Amino acid sequence: MNRRFGFVTIAVAALVLLAGCAAPLQTDNGTATAAADTTGDRTISTAGTGDASADPDRAVVTVAVTARAETAEAARGSVAADAAQLREALRELGIADDDVRTVSYRLSPRYESLDGRSGGGVTGYEAVHAYRIETAPAEAGRVVDTAVGNGASEVYGVSFTLSDEARAELRAQALERAMADARADADVVAAAAGLSVTGVQSVSAGGDYGPVYESRVAVDTGGAGTQFDAGPVTVIARVDVTYTAA
């Protein structure tokens, strides 16, 4: 009887010991794990994030030329004339034609309102030609003033961003910092498991890179012209890394 009880005790203890060896070591926040892969090599998986910021080097101004008339042809002609005036004024300001692009165009009937609801007969037509204008951030206010003074009747918005070259440079910096963040976590997990990081098994990057905009706008309505104060642009990167350890 005693011999049988002792055998069961030893078997249970062995199972507990094996379960402890097979389970991964995981940090409290779940961002890093240590385990053994199918080849028997130990690995540590971590995730890291990094960011980099810079002042914007491009501004995007979106404006629209609109016109209403009794006939579709009259509305179209009026918008075309105002749009030509706008384009010429932008050229005189130094904005290249390649930096001015049509983003939308609409020519539609307008209906008589019945008890606050549309549904009556056609009362006229409306034409809208919207443009996207790229310029230097310091010139955004002058572009708005020039557009409004030369045919544009609506300003849809002004945003500040980065050129492709500047964005690529910031993303590279953000990825470097994300890798450093991931390695720092891996070193902590390795030390806790009695291991040392020996190399990188795999890396994946992406998902959370921007740019993320942080723009502050101040419009001067005192007659001196429109001015904007653009905040920095931040690019955020994320990496998932699996390290080998010994």
Side-chain angles (χ1 to χ4, degrees):
M1 178 70 177
N2 292 336
R3 293 180 58 191
R4 182 180 180 185
F5 180 78
F7 175 78
V8 172
T9 302
I10 293 172
V12 171
L15 287 174
V16 172
L17 179 61
L18 289 173
C21 294
L25 176 65
Q26 183 167 331
T27 61
D28 291 340
N29 60 15
T31 60
T33 59
D37 64 17
T38 56
T39 66
D41 294 332
R42 288 173 171 80
T43 61
I44 297 173
S45 297
T46 65
T49 57
D51 61 77
S53 300
D55 290 334
D57 62 355
R58 299 296 288 169
V60 178
V61 179
T62 307
V63 301
V65 178
T66 63
R68 293 178 178 178
E70 292 184 358
T71 66
E73 178 58 26
R76 182 209 62 78
S78 181
V79 158
D82 287 344
Q85 179 183 342
L86 170 64
R87 296 296 297 267
E88 183 59 33
L90 292 174
R91 292 187 189 100
E92 293 177 359
L93 190 62
I95 306 298
D97 286 346
D98 289 343
D99 290 331
V100 182
R101 290 285 184 269
T102 294
V103 293
S104 64
Y105 183 90
R106 175 173 57 84
L107 176 60
S108 57
R110 301 181 69 245
Y111 296 94
E112 181 182 4
S113 176
L114 298 176
D115 297 328
R117 298 175 297 173
S118 61
V122 174
T123 60
Y125 292 83
E126 180 179 58
V128 180
H129 194 162
Y131 288 96
R132 179 182 188 274
I133 307 164
E134 288 196 22
T135 186
E139 296 296 314
R142 292 182 64 195
V143 168
V144 168
D145 294 339
T146 299
V148 172
N150 290 274
S153 54
E154 295 185 49
V155 178
Y156 288 164
V158 179
S159 62
F160 298 91
T161 184
L162 299 170
S163 61
D164 291 341
E165 295 80 4
R167 185 182 294 111
E169 182 177 347
L170 279 192
R171 183 186 173 196
Q173 295 176 14
L175 285 171
E176 289 177 359
R177 293 168 184 173
M179 284 295 293
D181 184 46
R183 177 57 189 263
D185 283 351
D187 286 337
V188 172
V189 173
L195 303 172
S196 296
V197 174
T198 59
V200 176
Q201 186 180 76
S202 64
V203 180
S204 62
D208 293 334
Y209 44 88
V212 177
Y213 301 100
E214 184 185 330
S215 297
R216 300 177 299 277
V217 179
V219 180
D220 183 353
T221 58
T226 305
Q227 299 178 359
F228 297 94
D229 179 18
V233 179
T234 301
V235 174
I236 300 173
R238 173 189 169 92
V239 296
D240 295 285
V241 189
T242 299
Y243 298 92
T244 56

